[in-house]
C-alpha cells in the first residue's frame, strides 16, 4: 500500500504544483499584454493623477501610423504644458522655456512606469497576484498586484480593462499598504478616430534633438555592498555641481520598475544620518569617514538606509 499512496501523493503534488505555476504565470502574461497594448493600440485617455502634492488632470493620446509611434500628453489645468512623441523623439513644450526634444521610447510622464515594464524579467523578483474583478470607468476590469518578493520595494495594484488590456487604474503602495500615488482613468476611446486626430503630428515642426554628453567610463573608488534582488547598475558619472568645490560621484541603479542613485562626495560636516521622504521618493544621507553618502530615488526609507550603510570604500595603496 505504501508505494500506491506514495504515487498518489506524488501525482497530487505535481498537479497542485502545476496549478500554482499556471496561476502565477497567467497574471504575468496579462500584465505583459498590458504593456503590449499600451504600445500598439490607438487610444485616448482622460485621467487624473493623485499624489501627496495634489490632483492633476491630464489627457494622453497614442497612435501608431506606418509603424511609427505617436503620442501627446496634455496637462488640462493651468498654463498649457504639452509633450509630443514622434518616433524616437520626445518634445517638451513648457511655459517660459525654449521647446526641446530628447530621445526616448515613450513619454515618461504619460502612463505609470509599471505599464512599460518587462514582466518576463520582473517575474524572477516579483510576485504577480490576481486579486479579482471589478469595474472602473464603467468598464469590467481584472485586478492584479505586483509585489517584490524580498519586501524591499514598493508595490502596485493594477486594474486592467478586460477588453483592451489598457490600464484604467494604477495604485502605487508603500509596504504598509498606504497609497502613495494613483493614476485613474475617467474616460477613454480606442480606435481609428484617435489615429485620425494624431495624423497631423506627422507634419508638425518639432524642436531639434538635444545632443547629450557621451558617457565616460568613470572608475570609482567605492561600491555598494547590498542591493535589492534584480537591481543592476545602469550608469555612473563624476560631475561638478554649482557652488560645490569637489565633484560628486554617482551610480544609477534600476530593476526595470524602480530607479535610484547613490551619490558620494567629500564632506567636512559631522552631521549624522538624515532622511526625507516625499511620496515615492526618499533621500537618505549619512556622513562616514569624511564622505557624504546620499541615496535618492524610488525606495522605502529602510531600503535606502540599508543601501547607504552598505557603501564601502577601497583602501588607497
Amino acid at each position: 500500500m505504501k508505494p500506491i499512496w506514495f504515487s498518489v501523493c506524488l501525482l497530487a503534488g505535481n498537479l497542485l504544483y502545476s496549478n500554482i505555476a499556471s496561476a502565477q504565470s497567467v497574471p504575468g502574461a496579462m500584465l505583459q499584454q498590458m504593456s503590449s497594448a499600451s504600445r500598439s493600440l490607438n487610444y485616448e485617455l482622460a485621467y487624473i493623477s493623485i499624489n501627496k502634492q495634489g490632483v492633476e488632470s491630464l489627457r494622453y493620446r497614442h497612435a501608431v501610423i506606418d509603424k511609427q509611434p505617436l503620442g501627446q500628453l496634455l496637462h488640462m489645468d493651468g498654463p498649457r504644458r504639452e509633450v509630443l512623441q514622434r518616433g524616437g523623439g520626445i518634445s517638451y513644450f513648457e511655459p517660459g522655456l525654449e521647446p526641446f526634444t530628447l530621445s526616448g521610447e515613450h513619454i515618461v510622464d504619460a502612463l505609470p512606469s509599471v505599464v512599460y515594464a518587462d514582466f518576463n524579467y520582473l517575474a524572477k523578483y516579483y510576485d504577480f497576484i490576481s486579486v479579482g474583478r471589478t469595474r472602473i470607468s464603467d468598464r469590467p476590469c481584472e485586478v492584479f498586484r505586483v509585489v517584490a518578493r524580498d519586501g524591499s520595494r514598493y508595490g502596485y495594484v493594477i486594474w486592467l480593462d478586460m477588453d483592451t488590456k489598457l490600464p484604467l487604474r494604477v495604485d502605487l503602495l508603500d509596504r504598509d499598504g498606504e497609497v502613495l500615488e494613483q493614476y485613474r482613468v475617467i474616460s477613454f476611446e480606442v480606435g481609428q478616430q484617435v489615429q485620425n486626430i494624431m495624423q497631423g503630428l506627422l507634419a508638425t515642426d518639432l524642436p531639434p534633438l538635444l545632443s547629450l554628453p557621451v558617457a565616460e567610463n568613470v572608475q570609482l573608488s567605492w561600491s555598494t555592498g547590498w542591493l535589492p534582488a534584480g537591481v543592476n547598475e545602469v550608469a555612473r558619472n563624476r560631475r561638478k555641481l554649482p557652488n560645490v568645490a569637489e565633484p560628486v560621484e554617482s551610480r544609477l541603479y534600476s530593476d526595470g520598475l524602480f530607479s535610484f542613485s547613490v551619490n558620494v562626495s567629500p564632506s567636512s560636516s559631522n552631521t549624522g544620518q538624515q532622511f526625507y521622504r516625499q511620496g515615492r521618493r526618499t533621500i537618505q544621507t549619512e556622513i562616514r569617514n569624511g564622505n557624504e553618502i546620499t541615496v535618492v530615488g524610488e525606495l522605502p526609507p529602510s531600503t535606502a538606509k540599508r543601501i547607504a550603510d552598505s557603501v564601502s570604500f577601497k583602501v588607497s595603496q
Side-chain angles (χ1 to χ4, degrees):
M1 291 296 291
K2 286 185 178 180
I4 296 176
W5 277 112
F6 177 79
S7 299
V8 171
C9 292
L10 183 62
L11 177 60
N14 287 338
L15 289 173
L16 179 61
Y17 176 81
S18 176
N19 288 337
I20 292 174
S22 175
Q24 289 178 339
S25 64
V26 168
M30 292 286 289
L31 292 169
Q32 198 66 49
Q33 288 180 41
M34 170 190 68
S35 183
S36 298
S38 299
R39 288 180 168 92
S40 62
L41 295 181
N42 303 312
Y43 58 93
E44 176 183 309
L45 303 172
Y47 66 95
I48 56 174
S49 176
I50 307 171
N51 55 42
K52 300 301 181 181
Q53 285 71 54
V55 180
E56 196 171 16
S57 301
L58 303 103
R59 185 187 70 206
Y60 177 58
R61 289 173 176 156
H62 178 272
V64 179
I65 301 177
D66 297 330
K67 299 183 180 180
Q68 182 172 221
L70 304 173
Q72 180 200 42
L73 177 67
L74 181 65
H75 295 256
M76 303 296 286
D77 303 323
R80 185 179 178 89
R81 298 161 56 202
E82 185 177 23
V83 185
L84 299 177
Q85 176 184 10
R86 187 168 66 199
I90 313 296
S91 301
Y92 295 82
F93 300 85
E94 296 270 352
L97 296 177
E98 191 70 24
F100 62 93
T101 299
L102 298 175
S103 297
E105 296 181 355
H106 56 264
I107 300 175
V108 174
D109 297 328
L111 301 179
S113 59
V114 67
V115 173
Y116 301 106
D118 180 355
F119 291 96
N120 291 323
Y121 174 77
L122 293 179
K124 305 172 189 176
Y125 311 104
Y126 287 80
D127 287 323
F128 310 135
I129 305 166
S130 178
V131 178
R133 294 182 177 181
T134 186
R135 195 165 59 94
I136 295 288
S137 297
D138 199 27
R139 302 278 298 187
C141 293
E142 295 197 59
V143 187
F144 300 97
R145 291 186 62 204
V146 178
V147 183
R149 292 197 185 108
D150 63 6
S152 64
R153 281 149 284 187
Y154 299 129
Y156 281 100
V157 182
I158 304 170
W159 286 255
L160 286 189
D161 178 58
M162 292 178 62
D163 181 25
T164 65
K165 303 302 184 289
L166 291 173
L168 298 188
R169 177 177 167 182
V170 178
D171 286 4
L172 175 69
L173 308 179
D174 69 9
R175 296 190 299 178
D176 296 325
E178 179 186 356
V179 178
L180 301 176
E181 295 178 5
Q182 184 180 101
Y183 153 95
R184 190 172 191 134
V185 171
I186 305 302
S187 65
F188 77 106
E189 289 186 52
V190 178
Q192 184 64 41
Q193 66 275 20
V194 181
Q195 189 180 75
N196 295 339
I197 294 172
M198 296 295 287
Q199 187 81 36
L201 183 53
L202 293 173
T204 300
D205 290 331
L206 297 177
L209 182 68
L210 289 182
S211 58
L212 299 177
V214 178
E216 299 179 5
N217 184 19
V218 179
Q219 298 299 317
L220 305 180
S221 62
W222 55 273
S223 61
T224 50
W226 178 85
L227 294 169
V231 168
N232 297 298
E233 181 181 327
V234 296
R236 65 173 68 179
N237 63 59
R238 181 185 293 112
R239 66 193 187 279
K240 291 292 291 293
L241 298 179
N243 303 319
V244 178
E246 298 291 338
V248 177
E249 298 180 345
S250 302
R251 297 178 191 260
L252 177 64
Y253 297 94
S254 177
D255 66 355
L257 193 55
F258 299 107
S259 301
F260 62 92
S261 66
V262 180
N263 310 277
V264 174
S265 62
S267 175
S268 58
S269 172
N270 294 319
T271 305
Q273 296 188 13
Q274 297 179 339
F275 89 90
Y276 172 75
R277 172 181 163 186
Q278 184 175 50
R280 68 163 63 203
R281 290 174 180 83
T282 294
I283 301 176
Q284 172 75 36
T285 300
E286 66 176 62
I287 306 297
R288 192 187 327 142
N289 299 330
N291 293 289
E292 181 175 285
I293 303 167
T294 304
V295 179
V296 182
E298 304 166 324
L299 293 170
S302 59
T303 302
K305 182 180 185 307
R306 184 174 177 184
I307 293 170
D309 290 343
S310 77
V311 170
S312 61
F313 297 85
K314 295 178 183 178
V315 178
S316 300
Q317 299 294 330

